[in-house]
Amino acid sequence: MKPIKETLTLARFAKFFLTTVAAPLALAAPALAQQAPAPQSAPAEAAPAESAPVAKEMTPDQIAAFNQAVTDFTAGQSAQQTGDNAGAVAKYDTAIPAIRTAVEVDPTKIDNVNFLANALYADAAAYGALGQMDKVIALYGESLPHWRKVVEAKPTDVASRNILAGILIQLGNQKLAASDTNGADPYYQEALPLARLSVTEQPADAVSKNILLSALIGASQTSMEEGLRDEVITMGKAMTADGTIDASNKPSIAAITGASAG
């Protein structure tokens, strides 16, 4: 297997991040949380000997903080949409702790898990636009288990699946940029089936195709699996010809096709 003759520099990693992270968020801010009514006590004689554990509820203070987080997140989105990324990170960083708490209180509430995943993703996008890639990687790492839960709970949600695949590719790219091929490969291997499924479901969607191409490019540099390099060349040439290839993928395709031609 010939390596692609191109180094994944930090600058290209940042460019790839800014291209792929531009995908729309998978949800808008949720409705405000409401104070749950106090549970009524059951008659003593009706209580079972082994009662199931009662689901935890947020305290009034936690609910108030969560509701403020919804407001802050929405303000962060507005700032980000106008190009005010510094203002966006300020709002997102303020909102995220209360959203984390809501997920810690009840990790089974998938809407809150989805909200946290999106808040971390949006925060990463804003930090990426500011060039603070260390923040991006940290936020991606924190968001990863939450995106996995979202995709598991919503297997037909293509937007969430593509975001998860994109995050995995970014984390793989970060490892690859540091020449850690063993550390990078599991991320690409997890991203590949997600990206393949999206392309199978939406074969004409350029976003899904570029995510798959990016995963293939990465995996072709970290895996000994037969056929990956040929798949990269075939797909890359086709997407270059029809104009659907992203600028972030063009250098790698140019490098690998040039190497194969020689």
Side-chain angles (χ1 to χ4, degrees):
M1 179 184 67
K2 297 180 182 178
I4 296 176
K5 295 180 180 179
E6 184 200 7
T7 303
L8 187 65
T9 63
L10 181 60
R12 192 167 75 80
F13 170 63
K15 181 179 180 181
F16 178 79
F17 167 81
L18 291 172
T19 300
T20 58
V21 85
L25 296 181
L27 98 164
L32 300 183
Q34 301 295 323
Q35 174 65 59
Q40 295 182 351
S41 300
E45 63 273 18
E50 301 98 5
S51 58
V54 178
K56 292 173 67 177
E57 297 286 348
M58 288 193 290
T59 67
D61 285 347
Q62 289 170 338
I63 289 173
F66 182 86
N67 289 342
Q68 181 60 49
V70 173
T71 301
D72 289 334
F73 174 79
T74 303
Q77 283 188 307
S78 298
Q80 196 168 23
Q81 289 164 3
T82 63
D84 179 11
N85 290 290
V89 298
K91 289 296 184 180
Y92 292 144
D93 286 349
T94 299
I96 285 171
I99 310 171
R100 283 195 191 109
T101 298
V103 172
E104 290 167 0
V105 168
D106 188 353
T108 67
K109 286 187 178 178
I110 196 63
D111 285 347
N112 287 350
V113 174
N114 198 6
F115 186 25
L116 178 57
N118 274 279
L120 294 167
Y121 180 75
D123 204 16
Y127 273 115
L130 294 172
Q132 298 186 40
M133 301 310 295
D134 56 334
K135 293 280 191 179
V136 172
I137 294 303
L139 288 162
Y140 266 16
E142 182 182 352
S143 75
L144 184 56
H146 303 303
W147 281 114
R148 285 172 174 149
K149 283 185 178 181
V150 170
V151 171
E152 181 181 7
K154 303 178 180 182
T156 62
D157 184 347
V158 178
S160 293
R161 187 194 309 141
N162 282 349
I163 290 172
L164 173 57
I167 287 172
L168 289 163
I169 293 165
Q170 292 293 352
L171 293 174
N173 287 350
Q174 189 265 342
K175 293 285 187 181
L176 191 58
S179 301
D180 182 4
T181 56
N182 290 335
D185 188 61
Y187 291 114
Y188 296 134
Q189 296 303 326
E190 186 178 351
L192 275 171
L194 298 168
R196 290 190 192 282
L197 179 58
S198 292
V199 171
T200 298
E201 293 178 351
Q202 299 182 340
D205 180 56
V207 171
S208 296
K209 290 196 299 181
N210 274 286
I211 290 172
L212 175 56
L213 182 59
S214 298
L216 288 166
I217 290 169
S220 71
Q221 297 177 83
T222 60
S223 172
M224 298 301 294
E225 182 181 342
E226 291 293 330
L228 280 178
R229 184 180 176 84
D230 290 340
E231 188 175 0
V232 169
I233 293 171
T234 300
M235 188 174 188
K237 284 182 174 179
M239 291 175 64
T240 299
D242 66 17
T244 58
I245 191 168
D246 279 346
S248 59
N249 282 328
K250 282 183 178 180
S252 293
I253 294 304
I256 196 172
T257 53
S260 65

